[in-house]
Amino acid sequence: MNRRALRKAKNGIFLSLSLGATLTGLACLTAILWTLISHGVAGLSLHLFTQMTPPPGSEGGLLNALYGSAIMTLVGILIGSPIGILAGTYLAEYGRTSRLSTLVRFINDVLLSAPSIIIGLFIYENVVVKMGHFSAIAGALALAVLAIPVTLRTTEDMLNLVPLGMKDSSAALGAYPWRTVVSVLYPAARSGIVTGLLLAIARISGETAPLLFTALNNQFWSTQLNAPMANLPVVIFQFALSPYKEWQNLAWAGALIITASILILSISARVILAMLQAERGSGR
């Protein structure tokens, strides 16, 4: 066999292996989604969004868990996203090559890949233990810590993509650096920053481990941020392990709601990013 035929044979083998791996992954994802949809749709009803989590052996809904998840996710994003955006702005515009920026990027990379249960234990030790009880605010703080590295990385990358000429033009007109950031860079990178926020929401909305150590759960309706609050991930975890059919149906329905929400957020982020890239391409 000559060298050309050998290369073609190797190329065909690796293409076949890559295609097989891709099909295997898609088959697994399809099986997971089909199982989730087939079981979750059966549990969907109007009661799911109008009634509280029921006692064992009774029918009910997930209203308090949906409310708790929405509130803690919202508070977590409101706390974490400004920190991430401002830190990303510093890394992109003020301290690109400083030692502090190198350290911040390293810590941010560690947080991006850190298990969420570690974050939950950290907040438990420093917030829950000192407060003396579980609370929704502790859960929101844990989610905020998870949201910071996502928004930081996205903000830095998007600001680095802004053409240098726009910054120079603003400086040539006598604008202060902060004015350039607020009036030029942020509007130019707005779509990318919004994409990062959507990805951060998708990242934290399905987390269970941090909330087990911080917000715990609540079987009843509660609007007190300084008290344990029901949340969808923990309710799914508890109901899925129970022997009661009604709780298991609610767990499947809750899992379907979370999955659909994350898919919608992820698709929205991808669409915004694609629009941003197309806008940049047409601008060139």
Side-chain angles (χ1 to χ4, degrees):
M1 181 181 294
N2 57 33
R3 184 176 298 178
R4 180 180 179 84
L6 181 61
R7 287 202 304 267
K8 291 182 67 174
K10 290 181 178 178
N11 183 63
I13 292 173
F14 280 105
L15 282 177
S16 300
L17 291 175
S18 300
L19 180 60
T22 302
L23 293 177
T24 301
L26 289 175
C28 293
L29 289 175
T30 302
I32 292 173
L33 287 175
W34 173 252
T35 303
L36 181 62
I37 293 173
S38 60
H39 288 80
V41 169
L44 292 178
S45 65
L46 182 61
H47 298 307
L48 192 72
F49 305 97
T50 59
Q51 295 184 7
M52 309 300 168
T53 49
S58 302
E59 295 184 355
L62 298 172
L63 177 60
N64 53 335
L66 291 169
Y67 171 80
S69 288
I71 289 298
M72 282 186 278
T73 300
L74 177 62
V75 174
I77 285 294
L78 291 178
I79 295 173
S81 58
I83 298 174
I85 291 173
L86 292 176
T89 303
Y90 171 80
L91 294 180
E93 299 301 322
Y94 298 101
R96 289 193 176 189
T97 58
S98 66
R99 293 183 178 179
L100 176 61
S101 297
T102 303
L103 178 62
V104 171
R105 289 191 185 96
F106 173 76
I107 295 175
N108 191 69
D109 291 341
V110 172
L111 286 176
L112 275 172
S113 57
S116 59
I117 193 171
I118 303 299
I119 307 300
L121 286 171
F122 172 78
I123 298 298
Y124 173 81
E125 183 65 27
N126 291 276
V127 178
V128 176
V129 172
K130 289 181 171 54
M131 292 176 63
H133 57 84
F134 298 96
S135 65
I137 191 62
L141 288 174
L143 298 181
V145 174
L146 291 170
I148 289 174
V150 179
T151 53
L152 188 154
R153 172 59 63 82
T154 308
T155 301
E156 182 186 7
D157 291 344
M158 293 300 106
L159 291 178
N160 285 332
L161 291 176
V162 177
L164 186 60
M166 297 181 66
K167 307 175 188 178
D168 294 340
S169 299
S170 179
L173 292 174
Y176 289 105
W178 69 267
R179 173 61 68 181
T180 299
V181 170
V182 173
S183 301
V184 177
L185 300 184
Y186 280 168
R190 179 174 57 248
S191 298
I193 294 175
V194 171
T195 300
L197 293 177
L198 293 177
L199 292 175
I201 294 173
R203 167 76 170 87
I204 67 177
S205 59
E207 288 294 341
T208 305
L211 299 181
L212 281 170
F213 291 97
T214 53
L216 196 60
N217 198 6
N218 193 337
Q219 200 74 12
F220 307 99
W221 177 270
S222 174
T223 59
Q224 297 294 326
L225 294 180
N226 197 33
M229 182 177 286
N231 53 90
L232 200 52
V234 174
V235 169
I236 292 172
F237 172 75
Q238 294 178 345
F239 282 14
L241 297 179
S242 72
Y244 306 106
K245 185 63 176 178
E246 295 81 5
W247 279 16
Q248 293 174 5
N249 291 335
L250 289 176
W252 280 111
L256 179 61
I257 292 173
I258 286 184
T259 303
S261 301
I262 292 175
L263 286 176
I264 292 172
L265 289 172
S266 299
I267 292 172
S268 301
R270 296 295 182 183
V271 170
I272 293 175
L273 191 58
M275 293 172 58
L276 178 64
Q277 292 173 348
E279 182 180 348
R280 287 206 182 96
S282 61
R284 293 176 184 173

